[in-house]
Amino acid sequence: MALVTLVVVGHAWTLLPDTRLNTHLYDFLYAWHVPAFVFVTGYLSQRFHWTPQRLWALVKTVAVPYVVFEAALAIFRVKVGGEELEDLFTDPHWPMWYLSALFFWRLLTPIFRPLPGAVVVAIGLSLAAGLWAGDTFDVARIMGLLPFFVMGLKATPERLALLRQRRVKQAGVAILVALAVVSLSIDSWASTEWLYYRSTYGQMGSSDLEAIGIRTAMLTMGTLGAFSFLSLVPRVHGWFTRMGAWTLVVYLFHGFAIKGAAYAGYSDWADDHAIVSFVLTSLLAVLLALGLALTPVARRLNAAVDPVGTAERKVKATLAPDDEDEDKDGSKGEGEDGDGDDDGVGTRRASGEPVRLG
């Protein structure tokens, strides 16, 4: 839940004026929080295989929400915000890049999961992608951020347990402080655009050799920052952790609120109240994430996020009496263990529960 909350905060900060402090904090956050988000996504994708059940689950939990929310957010931006959008569906708009990337990353999982040296291969593809990758389905980000996803695929509970060591935590604090200092000077040797992993080297105005060096630096910063953050996240199971089950609901719906605030003129007010707007915007962003993740709210919104799954559950509920008769005959019912649906995308969920994507 912490990472998706940071996603909401980062997007909310785009409403703020371009002061030196705001730019510095934005660059610092984006240097590592998206890599961390993608790493966790990879870790939760380890069980994906090319089986009919899991491919169908991928379609209904990733591809269908992509189509639904790419269209819904586009309508909102055009009708309410008066924006003009092009290449709908083939060029993911704003936060929709993540679902496009997730779809293709999951398809690549059976290739990279058992592959020796997979992380090295992924880094090579990321460095090469800046030479040619374009906007179609945001393939530039798919390839650019691929190393973090593959690191997640290769992670094990034993390796992650190393992050809990005291000396690692201390190093994590030092690294995040160092990244905060480095981010002060990012604009002097690169730019914020590099943190998005979406532009070709030619578009960035750098020579190929220089660009590869900058991309390497970004990958290094992202890796160190992501692991540092994960080492410092408390390993407790409480209400905040349980809210993480609604990650995709928060991710897909928060954009309407951020865009709505922009269309309402929030940025104009923020320009005149730089310090107050930063504090208020950050606080409201956190409250927005928590509000969307409240179970009563998220359960209702999940019908739009997972329309196919919702329809399937309604059909199963209608046929429940027949299922009970089967249970009496000794059938386990749902899932291979009889304890819920295997969603086919890396996690097991109880019937009616959401898929946690990262």
Side-chain angles (χ1 to χ4, degrees):
M1 185 64 191
L3 285 171
V4 75
T5 299
L6 290 176
V7 169
V8 178
V9 170
H11 286 163
W13 281 353
T14 61
L15 300 171
L16 299 174
D18 292 328
T19 64
R20 180 173 175 78
L21 175 62
N22 291 344
T23 300
H24 164 51
L25 292 175
Y26 185 88
D27 288 348
F28 168 67
L29 181 63
Y30 271 79
W32 56 266
H33 93 281
V34 172
F37 195 71
V38 175
F39 173 86
V40 173
T41 299
Y43 183 72
L44 296 175
S45 300
Q46 293 178 357
R47 293 174 58 195
F48 183 85
H49 298 287
W50 296 325
T51 63
Q53 180 191 20
R54 293 179 184 273
L55 289 171
W56 168 238
L58 181 64
V59 169
K60 71 179 183 180
T61 61
V62 178
V64 171
Y66 173 79
V67 172
V68 170
F69 280 85
E70 174 80 347
L73 191 56
I75 292 172
F76 183 77
R77 294 175 69 177
V78 172
K79 297 298 184 181
V80 178
E83 298 186 52
E84 295 183 4
L85 302 179
E86 298 179 352
D87 301 322
L88 196 63
F89 300 115
T90 59
D91 181 10
H93 292 88
W94 203 30
M96 301 311 300
W97 71 268
Y98 175 71
L99 289 190
S100 174
L102 178 59
F103 184 84
F104 290 102
W105 285 335
R106 287 258 162 92
L107 289 178
L108 291 172
T109 294
I111 296 175
F112 280 96
R113 182 73 178 90
L115 181 67
V119 174
V120 175
V121 173
I123 291 173
L125 290 173
S126 176
L127 296 177
L131 298 170
W132 58 271
D135 295 330
T136 303
F137 294 116
D138 243 333
V139 67
R141 272 176 166 154
I142 294 172
M143 304 304 292
L145 292 164
L146 181 63
F148 304 114
F149 182 80
V150 175
M151 288 180 198
L153 288 180
K154 291 293 188 178
T156 63
E158 293 75 20
R159 291 173 181 171
L160 292 180
L162 298 176
L163 296 176
R164 303 177 188 177
Q165 296 180 1
R166 182 179 180 84
R167 61 181 180 179
V168 175
K169 293 178 181 290
Q170 293 172 340
V173 173
I175 288 172
L176 288 176
V177 171
L179 288 180
V181 174
V182 171
S183 64
L184 284 171
S185 60
I186 282 182
D187 286 339
S188 66
W189 54 275
S191 68
T192 301
E193 181 64 25
W194 283 97
L195 300 172
Y196 301 143
Y197 295 86
R198 66 184 179 186
S199 299
T200 62
Y201 297 155
Q203 292 172 321
M204 299 305 294
S206 302
S207 66
D208 291 345
L209 185 60
E210 180 185 11
I212 289 175
I214 295 174
R215 172 62 63 86
T216 301
M218 294 299 172
L219 290 172
T220 302
M221 291 169 59
T223 301
L224 293 175
F227 286 151
S228 297
F229 173 78
L230 294 174
S231 72
L232 298 173
V233 174
R235 266 63 173 185
V236 295
H237 298 284
W239 61 271
F240 188 69
T241 304
R242 290 192 294 272
M243 279 184 164
W246 303 105
T247 295
L248 193 56
V249 171
V250 176
Y251 187 87
L252 291 177
F253 274 98
H254 82 277
F256 294 94
I258 303 296
K259 284 293 183 181
Y263 301 149
Y266 184 88
S267 294
D268 294 332
W269 175 84
D271 288 343
D272 298 327
H273 306 82
I275 297 177
V276 174
S277 65
F278 174 79
V279 176
L280 181 62
T281 301
S282 302
L283 176 61
L284 291 176
V286 172
L287 293 176
L288 173 62
L290 296 178
L292 289 172
L294 288 173
T295 299
V297 176
R299 282 192 184 278
R300 287 167 174 78
L301 296 180
N302 196 53
V305 173
D306 185 18
V308 176
T310 300
E312 288 178 340
R313 289 189 290 274
K314 288 183 177 180
V315 171
K316 290 178 181 179
T318 302
L319 301 177
D322 294 335
D323 292 340
E324 290 177 1
D325 291 339
E326 291 180 5
D327 289 341
K328 292 178 182 179
D329 293 333
S331 173
K332 283 186 175 181
E334 306 253 359
E336 61 189 18
D337 296 319
D339 59 352
D341 295 332
D342 187 337
D343 59 45
V345 288
T347 59
R348 179 170 293 279
R349 57 178 177 173
S351 180
E353 292 302 309
V355 181
R356 188 185 308 185
L357 295 179

